[in-house]
Amino acid sequence: QNPSMLRARYYEAHDLIKRAWNEPKPFSFNGRFTKQRYVNAWPRPIQKPHPPIWIPGSGSVESWRWCAENDYVYCNLSYFGHKASRAILAGFWREMESMGKDRNPYRAGYLQFVGVGESREEALRLYKEPAEYFYDRSLYVDPRFGGAAGYTTEATIRAKIKSQIVQAAENATRARPPETEFDNIVEEGYVIVGSPDEVAEQLRDIAVEFNVGHLLLLLQFGNMNADLTQYNTKLFAERVMPQLHDLFDDEWEDKWWPAPLPDARRVRPRSLAAQNFVAAAK
């Protein structure tokens, strides 16, 4: 597709999805890029008027403004760590201030690779191969895509924001960029590794500095197998997450979190006696 038209296509697709969530009856959609004679989404979302909307982005100024205008969460998805995202999140909050929005940290999300071990030494040993595998082999972007005309807007260029796609494309032109070596991966903050307390401290510092209430974690990357992924996830859930859980709750309300069903409407798990009865009947 013509890169200069991608944002217009994106906005139209967004309008179609929101209307499909909210229209009680089938309807026709006659957009510039998408034409549907019948649209009848089923099942529709339980939460009304619709679930909270989170928008992924890698640094375009237009996405910041659009999220502010629509009261959506902006999620900075970066494969290049917190150091590369510092300017992006700082720019996002400057834009929110210029548009009269408050600094509720739950307006923003941030993605980070994480590897947790019982000790820092164990974490460095466990996650070296998966991290090098990912950055050496799994993030290839043809350089022609990174600089396609129309892909980066004038406002983003003026803000001196470099997207992760451009960075990945630049790396692809090098025989073996230093970013693929584990020492550099850790030093640059692409992957945060360490003991539970070390990881929690780093993530807490990032959340406070970036003013981000939604931390999104990639706990499986590269060639990690199921056992290592489960180990990483278990350690994070049991020993890192409790240290971060209530970071902003005393001061701010998270208005962008999905609302669950009321207790009375939830499906209850069968009792043990009922399970045994069903098993016997089968």
Side-chain angles (χ1 to χ4, degrees):
Q1 299 291 343
N2 181 344
S4 67
M5 304 303 297
L6 292 179
R7 187 168 293 274
R9 289 178 176 273
Y10 183 91
Y11 289 157
E12 182 176 287
H14 158 271
D15 294 344
L16 171 56
I17 292 170
K18 280 193 68 175
R19 187 176 173 190
W21 281 349
N22 289 288
E23 286 277 359
K25 296 181 180 180
F27 63 92
S28 298
F29 187 84
N30 188 29
R32 178 182 177 186
F33 306 103
T34 304
K35 303 182 187 302
Q36 297 288 338
R37 187 175 182 183
Y38 297 114
V39 180
N40 185 24
W42 187 260
R44 290 184 175 84
I46 293 171
Q47 189 168 341
K48 303 299 181 185
H50 56 75
I53 295 177
W54 296 19
I55 302 298
S58 62
S60 69
V61 173
E62 288 80 7
S63 293
W64 300 342
R65 294 170 181 165
W66 190 63
C67 286
E69 292 166 355
N70 289 279
D71 206 25
Y72 295 161
V73 175
Y74 173 78
C75 298
N76 176 224
L77 305 186
S78 173
Y79 291 136
F80 297 101
H82 54 92
K83 293 184 180 181
S85 292
R86 185 173 285 116
I88 293 175
L89 270 304
F92 169 76
W93 286 115
R94 285 195 299 270
E95 195 67 29
M96 294 305 99
E97 182 180 3
S98 72
M99 298 183 70
K101 301 294 183 179
D102 61 30
R103 284 183 58 85
N104 187 329
Y106 296 110
R107 290 186 180 278
Y110 168 72
L111 179 77
Q112 178 66 54
F113 283 57
V114 170
V116 191
E118 289 288 349
S119 65
R120 181 169 183 80
E121 292 72 23
E122 182 191 63
L124 291 171
R125 175 175 55 82
L126 288 176
Y127 302 110
K128 179 179 187 296
E129 181 184 342
E132 290 186 340
Y133 183 101
F134 178 82
Y135 284 99
D136 191 31
R137 302 178 62 179
S138 302
L139 200 58
Y140 180 82
V141 174
D142 190 296
R144 291 171 295 181
F145 290 116
Y151 186 81
T152 304
T153 63
E154 180 183 348
T156 300
I157 294 172
R158 288 183 180 275
K160 298 180 180 179
I161 299 295
K162 180 189 289 188
S163 77
Q164 64 177 352
I165 294 174
V166 171
Q167 190 165 347
E170 289 176 352
N171 286 348
T173 63
R174 301 183 230 172
R176 179 173 172 87
E179 289 85 349
T180 64
E181 297 173 1
F182 192 54
D183 289 346
N184 291 320
I185 289 170
V186 174
E187 176 65 25
E188 293 299 319
Y190 295 179
V191 180
I192 290 177
V193 297
S195 68
D197 290 344
E198 289 174 326
V199 170
E201 181 181 6
Q202 289 189 65
L203 289 176
R204 198 175 187 90
D205 289 345
I206 290 170
V208 171
E209 179 189 354
F210 289 178
N211 194 44
V212 166
H214 295 121
L215 283 174
L216 314 174
L217 286 309
L218 276 174
L219 300 170
Q220 189 281 333
F221 49 86
N223 61 352
M224 284 172 63
N225 60 30
D227 289 340
L228 182 54
T229 302
Q230 290 172 9
Y231 179 73
N232 193 21
T233 305
K234 189 176 191 320
L235 276 179
F236 185 89
E238 294 178 351
R239 297 172 59 184
V240 178
M241 193 159 62
Q243 301 187 53
L244 308 169
H245 196 64
D246 59 351
L247 188 57
F248 298 108
D249 288 354
D250 292 340
E251 186 177 358
W252 298 98
E253 176 189 0
D254 187 355
K255 299 180 291 186
W256 297 273
W257 194 255
L261 278 173
D263 284 346
R265 293 185 60 194
R266 297 185 190 180
V267 176
R268 299 295 178 186
R270 291 172 173 160
S271 67
L272 183 58
Q275 293 179 36
N276 291 337
F277 175 82
V278 171
K282 289 182 179 178

